[in-house]
Amino acid sequence: CVGVGAVVSGLPLLSFPDALIRAILGGAFSVLRPGAAMYQFTYGPRSPVPEAIAADLDLVATPASRRIWLNWPPARVYRLTRRADQPTD
């Protein structure tokens, strides 16, 4: 299996219980090939993935876009990657 090149999600992770967030992210990253990312659209003021869950799953969440102020409420896209796939400089 080559793996999936990206996952794009608009699921309202901020309203989900932690167990469901873990299951969704775990499932997504189980099919992503090394170096691939998950893109998560959110309306929240910070990452839609709680820090503890990101740490447990060894993920890094970085804003992939500026906040979109013309959208109400303002929106943002986050890029989720495996920590092991991060540059090491």
Side-chain angles (χ1 to χ4, degrees), residues 16 30-31 64 72:
F16 290 169
S30 73
V31 298
W72 191 254

Side-chain angles (χ1 to χ4, degrees), residues 7-84:
V7 170
V8 177
S9 169
L11 292 170
L13 295 183
L14 294 172
S15 65
F16 290 169
D18 287 357
L20 183 54
I21 295 171
R22 285 177 196 276
I24 290 167
L25 295 176
F29 278 90
S30 73
V31 298
L32 282 169
R33 67 178 171 236
M38 177 175 174
Y39 295 89
Q40 177 65 43
F41 182 86
T42 187
Y43 291 107
R46 59 184 174 276
S47 172
V49 180
E51 288 182 26
I53 294 174
D56 288 348
L57 297 175
D58 206 26
L59 301 177
V60 176
T62 54
S65 71
R66 294 181 179 175
R67 189 163 308 282
I68 304 163
W69 293 106
L70 294 178
N71 191 71
W72 191 254
R76 178 173 268 175
V77 175
Y78 277 83
R79 183 174 188 263
L80 305 168
T81 55
R82 294 176 183 97
R83 188 169 307 281

